[in-house]
Amino acid sequence: MSRPDGAPFGWLGIFRLGLVQAALGAIVVLTTSTLNRVMVVELALPAMLPGALVALHYAVQVLRPRLGYGSDLGGRRTPWIIGGMAVLAAGGVLAALATVLMFTERTAGMVLAVLAFMMVGGGVGACGTSLLVLLAKRVDERRRAGAATAVWLMMIVGFVVTAGLAGHFLDPFSPARLLLVSAVVSAVAFVVTLLATLGIEGRTAAPATSGTRPTPFRTAMAQVWSEPRARRFTIFIFVSMLAYSAQDLILEPYAGTVFGMTPGASTGLASVQHGGVLVGMLLLAVLGSTAWGRRLCSMQTWTFIGCIASALALGNLAAGGLVGAGFPLRQAVFLLGAANGLFAVAAIGSMMGLVGEGREDREGVRMGLWGAAQAVAYAVGGFLGTAAIDLTRQLMDSPAPAYAAVFGAEAVLFLVAAALAKQVVRPDAAPATATPVLTEQSAAADC
């Protein structure tokens, strides 16, 4: 199953790494969703507790640049993928054990949960960062949009399959059954990762620092931050993901409060939105995989278009609340999903294209920096979205203008992100030391 060193990945190699992403998603969905429900419902704990634990797992991911730096030093990514998955799997089991312990020893269980969620965040950071770097370095430009779509969709498959199977085997619920299901999911995820990465990187890879004294991490981080494109893309990732994540927790309350939808009907909006996301992703995967589509626009320019489309879709939702009952909410949510899907794949494709630009042997630090920006944005975005709704509802008599104001603010964030994306696309944003990754990409810098 080994590959020649440095050989570009075909679709089979992309699929194998997608399996790792699915395994990662399987453990994460148990820790951030299933255990959340058990803590709130079965244990009757304040919702703030699991919310704080999920925020903690995001906060730990600020270590991503340091973890990426470690993989740069060694010259190989698979040990970090496997090691990260091992830490993640152990964290998943410990998180379930902590939840079970809370039934009898609440304080001890909470202390163990803190350790477990820190391990989950660290494992996701180590595994996910090196996985994306390996994809970026070994996937041909013509396959990047398709690869980004495939890996993202396989992560969603990991969410869906695990949630479905875990839900089946958890009934009738018992603490022992919860621990068993979590242990089995973690073990399967780790074995899948071992098999999927076996020989995929090749037999040999020279360490980045072979024969030289390694550059200290702080120096490496400063070098990456001094690169205009890397710095601008970091800010872009933070702003765009802030807008992307802030809508998650307010869309269903919006449907129920403003449009009077029942809980079942508003929950069904999630499937409508995910259907739109799938359409947007597949659309860009097709366009990005054709010579015509790549000549039309680069991935960075598609990112700009995705931000504009997302801003327009959010503006449409904001106006819908003011229109009232006649507004086609389901269609508007589908369009938002499609715009978000296009944006997400384009952003990942851009990330894969830009990670090799600039100083050599800093791919892990760059990808880690961008992953950390995304994690912090996710941690902050959900909280700010809900806090903004509470604030605007205090200031306004009707809920419709309050939700319109928040959706409008998110649309503005996406417009700011679009302006930042345009700066990243500009050829003069690249430092003099940067080496172009793609000739075709540079030629297609603007539509």
Side-chain angles (χ1 to χ4, degrees):
M1 295 178 69
S2 62
R3 303 175 53 83
D5 299 338
F9 289 149
W11 287 113
L12 179 59
I14 293 169
F15 175 77
R16 288 170 63 185
L17 290 182
L19 285 174
V20 178
Q21 193 77 349
L24 187 152
I27 298 175
V28 168
V29 76
L30 273 182
T31 54
T32 61
S33 180
T34 305
L35 297 186
N36 169 58
R37 178 246 148 80
V38 172
M39 289 181 194
V40 173
V41 179
E42 277 72 21
L43 286 165
L45 293 170
M48 184 173 62
L49 173 62
L53 291 171
V54 172
L56 175 64
H57 114 281
Y58 280 125
V60 170
Q61 292 182 52
V62 297
L63 296 175
R64 276 179 180 254
R66 182 62 181 82
L67 297 169
Y69 168 78
S71 70
D72 285 340
L73 290 182
R76 291 179 63 84
R77 311 295 169 177
T78 47
W80 287 83
I81 294 172
I82 295 170
M85 184 60 72
V87 173
L88 173 59
V93 175
L94 279 182
L97 179 60
T99 305
V100 170
L101 188 58
M102 288 180 196
F103 281 91
T104 55
E105 298 289 341
R106 189 148 294 187
T107 302
M110 290 179 180
V111 172
L112 185 59
V114 169
L115 172 62
F117 275 81
M118 289 178 68
M119 291 176 66
V120 169
V124 169
C127 181
T129 299
S130 291
L131 176 68
L132 286 174
V133 172
L134 185 57
L135 271 173
K137 294 190 72 173
R138 301 283 287 275
V139 172
D140 186 273
E141 184 269 343
R142 59 193 171 88
R143 288 196 172 113
R144 279 184 178 150
T149 299
V151 169
W152 187 290
L153 289 180
M154 290 185 74
M155 182 178 68
I156 294 175
V157 168
F159 289 160
V160 173
V161 172
T162 303
L165 290 177
H168 173 74
F169 287 108
L170 280 172
D171 286 332
F173 177 81
S174 71
R177 192 179 285 262
L178 173 65
L179 184 57
L180 177 62
V181 169
S182 296
V184 169
V185 169
S186 293
V188 170
F190 183 68
V191 171
V192 166
T193 299
L194 281 178
L195 295 176
T197 56
L198 184 63
I200 197 169
E201 199 172 6
R203 297 184 185 87
T204 60
T209 57
S210 179
T212 63
R213 185 175 180 178
T215 303
F217 168 67
R218 289 192 177 188
T219 303
M221 187 73 172
Q223 289 170 346
V224 169
W225 189 253
S226 69
E227 298 168 1
R229 266 193 165 178
R231 184 173 62 252
R232 288 169 178 164
F233 196 68
T234 302
I235 299 170
F236 159 77
I237 287 290
F238 178 79
V239 173
S240 62
M241 296 314 295
L242 195 63
Y244 185 90
S245 61
Q247 62 186 277
D248 283 353
L249 298 180
I250 66 173
L251 189 56
E252 286 189 41
Y254 171 66
T257 304
V258 177
F259 291 90
M261 281 190 167
T262 64
S266 64
T267 300
L269 279 179
S271 63
V272 173
Q273 185 178 19
H274 291 148
V277 169
L278 178 61
V279 168
M281 287 181 169
L282 292 177
L283 174 64
L284 190 56
V286 171
L287 288 173
S289 299
T290 63
W292 175 83
R294 293 193 300 275
R295 283 196 298 270
L296 178 65
C297 286
S298 68
M299 276 297 105
Q300 286 99 317
T301 306
W302 280 119
T303 304
F304 171 81
I305 294 171
C307 289
I308 295 294
S310 295
L312 292 174
L314 283 165
N316 186 40
L317 269 181
L322 302 177
V323 170
F327 181 73
L329 181 62
R330 291 175 65 86
Q331 291 87 336
V333 170
F334 179 85
L335 290 175
L336 175 63
N340 285 171
L342 189 148
F343 153 74
V345 170
I348 295 172
S350 297
M351 194 180 296
M352 293 168 65
L354 291 171
V355 74
E357 292 199 10
R359 192 179 296 267
E360 291 185 359
D361 301 322
R362 295 289 181 268
E363 294 90 347
V365 177
R366 280 188 208 95
M367 191 66 78
L369 181 62
W370 299 336
Q374 176 180 322
V376 172
Y378 259 100
V380 174
F383 172 76
L384 286 183
T386 53
I389 285 296
D390 290 340
L391 177 62
T392 51
R393 292 201 64 178
Q394 289 291 326
L395 298 175
M396 300 178 182
D397 296 331
S398 171
Y403 278 99
V406 175
F407 282 128
E410 293 171 18
V412 171
L413 277 178
F414 262 120
L415 291 176
V416 173
L420 292 168
K422 199 65 175 175
Q423 287 184 343
V424 174
V425 171
R426 278 171 28 210
D428 63 356
T433 57
T435 54
V437 177
L438 308 171
T439 304
E440 189 176 35
Q441 185 185 68
S442 300
D446 292 297
C447 286

